[in-house]
Every structure is written in structure tokens, then in C-alpha cells.
Amino acid sequence: MATETLKTPPAKKGTATPVKAGFRRVAIGANVFAQVLLIFVIILVVNIIAFRQYSRWDFSRNKKYELSSMTTNVLNSLKEPVKAVVFFPTAQALTADVSLLLKEYEYASKKKFNVEYVDPYKNLSRARELSEKYKFGSTDNIVILDYKGKSKFVNAQDMADLDMSRAMYGEPPTVRAFKGEQAITSAVLELTEEKQNKLYMVTGHGEPELAGPELTVFAAYAGRVNLKLEQVNLNGVDAVPADANGLIIFAPQVDLSEREMKLVTDFWTEKKGRLFVLLGPTGKTPRLDQFLATEGIEPRNDLVLKTGKVLARDESGGVGLKTGIMTDPTAVLTPQGKALSKDLAGVGIQLLGATRSLNIDPTRAKMLKVAITPILESGEGFWGETEYKPGDNKPVFFDPKKDTIGPLTVGAALEKGAMDDPRVKVETARMVVIGNGGFLTDSGLRLSEVGIDFAMNSLNWLTNREETISGIAPKEKKPVSLSLDEQQLARLALTVLGIIPSIIGVIGFAVWWQRRA
């Protein structure tokens, strides 16, 4: 009986064996798994980087939520975390603005500004706990700031100017201008600074009173940046007060006595004092002028002015433009003074009233080893007139033999005792001299609001607070309006009533035709 042997047919060429096919499936699976894992790792790494290294931009109208450089620098300088507790039981008009503002503080501080919101109606136990700890009432609308065991309240009414005109009709108040940033940053600055800087204003020579009606805005802004202002009559003291961080000489109408100048000079040279000098061009101050000239800044006996078209009344009492004398000069903050003015460099300012120009003596500055920087220069067309007196009606013209052509230095900063290497920090004497004092009065600030920021910059520089070099202006609530002329309205109507419906109709007809086909 014959037997047959079964033989496995040979594999066709190009056909994988079961072992090789299985290995290939495993390799493909591993490759897919590796790709998925790699994509997951890439997404995870991108998210981690984006979470830790991110940037924010404010695209809102008028940069509503953008923090000022002063606030960001204060937050960046925090050594310990600040805790903010928002307790607003009734101030509903401010809740949204304050919440959005404090969210920006949290982002800018890099986790050193922490915010807690407490609703007394939802969390009564927490509200009672805070009330017992910080001693406030259940109806108070406040933001509590706590830093290293010290606390300060910011009241809701200090964070906004409210419009109460509709209150008689039972409507809630509306926010006219939001001042939350300046109020909260000032409170943070006051909490974090080890001591409050105190500046004394010299009196007794016809200067404006600190508590008078002429300096209300200046005094208020100084308080917001944690500067304490007090007055001192140098005739009644033996020396400049020991707690003085600086002296303000604000447009004296008569000269300081020899004794007073001796006290100022001793404060400047021996104590490395800080001086903020605003000249009163209508007063005669030869001793003060001589002191400044000795330090390399010589006030000229002139008035900065120019001729041009000015508003004036004619004989009939009407108001019109005519050629006259412009005695309120414009000026520009110089790029050289950017170390002091920061983001205000290049910004223009109008000075109220008569202004004197300053002559900087580089030879004397080099001999005394002082650094003098022009920080304010007169605008185009102004010159230093030596023969004009305020109120004169005689014609004025530039005389090259007597007058000084512009641009003129009308503000300068002086530092004495600094090292050539900026990395070496030593105590220095600092001085800011401006040939005009009217710009810082309430009337002058109505003419040009830049003046208050410039003044705060100067005082911050004088007190070694360059990190808080700029001011914070209130953010007005501006209504959004759209102004269109007849042609624009016609195009808008054509677009809305004609073009857009036609496009939709064409698309609809195309879809219908395709389905029908």
C-alpha cells in the first residue's frame, strides 16, 4: 500500500510568514503609540511653558485695564505676598471694575498679590471672622490689604467719582471716573515702605500755602504716592528738621534771608539733602539765585516768551485773535532726562505764567564733580526776553545782543557725589530746579495735566524711588458713540439691507439648485 507524504507548499515570493507579519503588526502598533505619546508630550510641554511664560495684552478701548508702570514696578518689588480681601456688600456699581483690576494685579505680581472675595450674604461666618480681625462694619464697602501683619483699608468711595444725578429718580449711581488703581497702589506702597518720606515746604516768602486753594491737587497726589508734606519756616528753627527727606522751595516772592540760605546750604552739602526748587520769576531772589549758580545752574534774569496770535478783547468788548505776547510757554521733557521722567520723555507741557530760563555751566559742574541734566526745554519759537515786564504794553522783539535764542533750558536735575560706575550705589545729594512754579498750581494743572506726573516723577527721583517713577491718572468712563455722515449711513444701509441679504439669497439658491440637480 502506497503512502502519500503531505508537503507544505512553499511560500510565494513577497509573502510574509506569520511570524514576520505578527512582528510587523507589533512594530506598527508601537510606532503609532510612540507618535501618540510624542504628540501628548509636546502638547503637555507647550501647555506648561504657556502656563508659566505667558503675556497679556489689553485690547480694550482707551487701555482700560492696562496697569501703569508705577503699579507694575511696585508689584515687582514686593518681598512678601500682599493679601487683598474685597468686601463689597452694597457697592455693586464698582464690583466689576474692581474685580477686573485686581485680576490684573494678580497676573502682574507673579503670585505675590492674592485676592479673596467675601460675600457677607453667602459666607456669613467668614465675614464675621474678618470683621472681628480687622474691626470694620458689616455695611462697609472696602478692600482690605494685608502685608506682613500690617493692614490698610481702601474705601469704595476713594476708588471712583460717582454720578449721583439720577439718584432722585431711584436709579443707582454711575461711575464717572474709576480711580481704583491709584487708590490701591498708593495703599500697597504705604504698607510696603519701611518709612514714609517727609518733604518740608519752605514758607514765609509769599509761597502758596500747602493747605490753601492753590495746591489742593498737588497735595492730594503727593499723599497718594505716600509722600508726607509739611510746612517749615526756616526763620523759626535752628536747622532743617532731622526727619526731612527733602525741601521744597515753591516760587518765593521775596528772597530767603542769609540765615535761611545757610540752613539750606548746610542741608544740601552736609546732609546730602534733596531740593525741589521752583522759581518765582516775578520775585527777586538774588541769594537763592547765587546758591544755584554756585552749584552750576544759573537762573537768567529773563522771561521765556514769544509773539504770535493770542485771544484778546477788542475795543468793542468782542473776543478775537490778534498778534500779542505769549507768556505761558510750552516746554518738552527732554530725552536726556529719561532716567528721571521715564515714559514722559518727549511729552509736551504748557507752563502757566512767567518762566525763567536756566544757564547750565558745564565747567563748574565738572569742577564740582556734579552731573547736571537738562530735563525741560522751551518749545519752538520761544526766547529769553530781558527787557519785558509782565503787564507792559510796549512791542517785544528778539534782540540778539541782549536776549537768548531758544530752545532754552527751563528745568534741570543735578546729582552730586555719584560714582562713575552706576553699579556702585552711594548716598548722593539731588536737586531739581524749574524756572516756573505756576504749572503745579491748580490753575496750571487745568492748563496741562502732565505737570502733576512730571512733579511726582521729580519727587520720586529725589527720594530714591525711581521704581515708582510715574503717576496714575483716573480712567474716565467714556460713552461709546458712532458718528457717521450721510454717505457713510447710505453705505451702511446698502450693506445691511442690500448686499448681505443678496449674498445669503445667492448661497441659498445655489444650495437649492444643487439639491434639485
Side-chain angles (χ1 to χ4, degrees), residues 401-461:
K401 297 181 180 179
K402 301 178 182 179
D403 304 328
T404 309
I405 191 66
L408 303 167
T409 298
V410 294
L414 185 152
E415 186 170 20
K416 189 174 185 178
M419 302 295 290
D420 294 333
D421 189 346
R423 294 173 298 179
V424 180
K425 300 297 183 181
V426 295
E427 188 67 18
T428 61
R430 290 183 175 183
M431 184 191 310
V432 172
V433 183
I434 311 296
N436 175 285
F439 83 97
L440 206 45
T441 63
D442 288 5
S443 299
L445 293 175
R446 283 192 291 269
L447 188 66
S448 181
E449 295 181 354
V450 179
I452 192 63
D453 291 328
F454 171 55
M456 293 302 106
N457 288 354
S458 300
L459 296 180
N460 283 324
W461 179 77

Side-chain angles (χ1 to χ4, degrees), residues 256-303:
L256 280 70
S257 66
E258 290 186 9
R259 183 178 180 278
E260 290 176 305
M261 285 308 310
K262 175 69 165 56
L263 297 182
V264 172
T265 304
D266 290 346
F267 176 71
W268 166 253
T269 56
E270 297 178 6
K271 296 186 177 180
K272 293 183 171 58
R274 309 303 171 93
L275 301 177
F276 187 49
V277 182
L278 306 178
L279 298 176
T282 57
K284 298 296 183 181
T285 54
R287 294 188 189 93
L288 178 59
D289 294 352
Q290 180 59 38
F291 164 73
L292 297 175
T294 302
E295 299 299 329
I297 301 177
E298 179 188 1
R300 294 190 180 99
N301 291 317
D302 61 7
L303 294 179

Side-chain angles (χ1 to χ4, degrees), residues 137 186 364:
S186 297
R364 186 158 188 81

